[in-house]
Amino acid sequence: MYYVFVHIKTTCEITESQTILNWSAYQRANVLSIHFWGDIVACLIGGPIAEKWGSRYVIIFGIFFSAVLSMFTPMAAKYSYLALLLVRLALGLFTGLINPAGHTLIARWAVATDKGKFSGALMGGSIGIFIAWSVCGQLIVSFGWEWCFYFFGILSFVLNILLWLFVYDTPQTHPYISSSEKQYLKENINIQNRKEAIPYFRILMSIPFWSLALINFGSGWGIFFVISAAPSYIANALGFNIASTGVLSALTYLAKSTFAFVFGALGDYLLKKKFVTLPVLRKTAIFISHAIPGCGLMCMAIIGMPPAFYIALITSVMALNGAVTLTSSVNGHDLTRNFAGTVNGIVYACMTVAGIITPYVTAFFTKNDETSASLWQPVFFTGGAVFMATGLQFVIFGSTQTQSWNEIKTKPENAKDNGRFEKY
């Protein structure tokens, strides 16, 4: 949500009663990036914690403290630049727990032909950005920029109540689903109870794992460019008032979330009907999720087009990248179920590294004049090239086979139900 605030605010009319924070390009880059340092640490520990003690409390805990810190952000920003950096770092530590814990939930709830839909649902953060883009402009104009943080902090508390009522770690512990559904999931999801240490060395020596890490890094690079660079480009270099058309800008994120679920459901359908094999699906979809969006980012460097052209490009890049529900966001579950939280936490940390780098790349190229469209061209050429190259390497090195390090050699408590690998 901070990305939305920092860019909308550049084009909003600020009243005399509102505090203006005049930060340089590099200061803004620091504020945007430091969150991800906390994210990286949390991603690396969030998966193992969720696998050992369950995802439910990890997610609720992460959202609760993220909401508290979000509401403290305006106070920290007004107190000092350093205080804001510390709050943002702590915020990253708590929000970073949520993604790997969510993937641990998917491993325990999604059968092989439902992984795409579950992964699409996990990308609901795009809906959050859609809501933020839609309302933040009006909140800033009407109540001040501080209310962007207060509003979404309060909203997070409400969300946590719903999570407490309806989210449980496993089908067997859920009080509301039927016995037949519990039995179906038990028979079709093969999770072994972990009795030994996570095989980090074997995971890190795995070529398919590193291929997955690279496509996540590339996706992160491209998407964080869209989130952080594109709005500033349109507002500062092209002079297009994003704040006055917040809903239009928000559609880019609604498109990503919508198409993520559509692509995920389509992939599940194709697998269920055996119209395509899993390797073909994953490696074909990489052109939709990475290669074509990379070309779209490069086209953002074209100068002289009407603003609608750039908005359409951003929307298309985000919508097509929704196909990550067929590639980078779900491939970790192909490689392992028993360590899905750990693996997806590590690769999400790689994606987060891109979030740290991209604001500095943008600041490096545009530090002399953020209003010069020509200085923005290498920003988008770089982003597009990274997006494409990291995606295409998956066609060569990526795999959909369950990896040998997924197997837990210690005999599980229920060998009859848990001793099988799924067929996909």
Side-chain angles (χ1 to χ4, degrees), residues 243-387:
S244 64
T245 57
V247 174
L248 178 61
S249 299
L251 289 177
T252 60
Y253 299 96
L254 181 62
K256 179 179 176 65
S257 185
T258 301
F259 276 84
F261 192 81
V262 169
F263 281 125
L266 176 61
D268 290 343
Y269 174 80
L270 293 174
L271 287 175
K272 188 174 293 186
K273 295 296 183 180
K274 301 186 185 303
F275 291 145
V276 66
T277 64
L278 187 60
V280 170
L281 177 66
R282 294 279 185 265
K283 296 192 176 186
T284 301
I286 211 73
F287 290 92
I288 304 174
S289 67
H290 285 70
I292 299 176
C295 291
L297 280 186
M298 290 183 175
C299 290
M300 287 288 294
I302 299 174
I303 299 175
M305 303 299 289
F309 170 80
Y310 303 100
I311 292 294
L313 271 180
I314 294 173
T315 305
S316 299
V317 167
M318 294 291 279
L320 291 174
N321 185 249
V324 293
T325 51
L326 304 177
T327 57
S328 56
S329 72
V330 74
N331 182 238
H333 295 274
D334 301 330
L335 304 181
T336 177
R337 268 197 187 273
N338 293 317
F339 304 107
T342 297
V343 166
N344 282 288
I346 297 172
V347 299
Y348 189 74
C350 294
M351 182 176 178
T352 303
V353 170
I356 295 174
I357 296 173
T358 52
Y360 292 105
V361 172
T362 301
F364 173 78
F365 285 116
T366 63
K367 61 182 182 292
N368 293 327
D369 185 4
E370 289 183 316
T371 65
S372 172
S374 61
L375 293 181
W376 282 89
Q377 288 181 312
V379 172
F380 292 105
F381 285 138
T382 302
V386 172
F387 215 162

Side-chain angles (χ1 to χ4, degrees), residues 151 165 177 193 249 346 391 421:
F151 176 81
L165 293 174
I177 65 174
N193 295 324
S249 299
I346 297 172
F421 292 110

Side-chain angles (χ1 to χ4, degrees), residues 10 12 18 34 49 74 99 130 153 163 201 211 214 218 272 286 307 310 317 340 347 356 360 371 384 414:
T10 61
C12 279
Q18 295 179 22
I34 196 167
I49 291 173
N99 185 275
F130 166 74
L163 291 172
F201 179 78
S211 182
L214 280 174
K272 188 174 293 186
I286 211 73
Y310 303 100
V317 167
V347 299
I356 295 174
Y360 292 105
T371 65
N414 190 337

Side-chain angles (χ1 to χ4, degrees), residues 5 25 78 87 115 117 121 132 163 190 202 291-292 336 393 424:
F5 154 72
K78 294 176 183 179
V87 169
K115 291 177 183 177
K117 291 188 287 290
L163 291 172
N190 306 301
R202 296 179 67 197
I292 299 176
T336 177
Q393 62 79 32
Y424 290 98

Side-chain angles (χ1 to χ4, degrees), residues 189-205:
I189 296 176
N190 306 301
I191 293 289
Q192 294 174 276
N193 295 324
R194 180 154 62 86
K195 300 294 185 181
E196 59 182 27
I198 297 170
Y200 283 112
F201 179 78
R202 296 179 67 197
I203 291 172
L204 295 177
M205 293 299 291

Side-chain angles (χ1 to χ4, degrees), residues 169-218:
D169 290 318
T170 65
Q172 287 69 38
T173 59
H174 203 293
Y176 305 128
I177 65 174
S178 66
S179 299
S180 60
E181 187 174 4
K182 289 181 180 180
Q183 184 62 30
Y184 170 77
L185 293 173
K186 183 178 180 180
E187 292 174 352
N188 288 276
I189 296 176
N190 306 301
I191 293 289
Q192 294 174 276
N193 295 324
R194 180 154 62 86
K195 300 294 185 181
E196 59 182 27
I198 297 170
Y200 283 112
F201 179 78
R202 296 179 67 197
I203 291 172
L204 295 177
M205 293 299 291
S206 169
I207 292 177
F209 164 78
W210 282 110
S211 182
L212 171 62
L214 280 174
I215 58 171
N216 272 275
F217 176 84

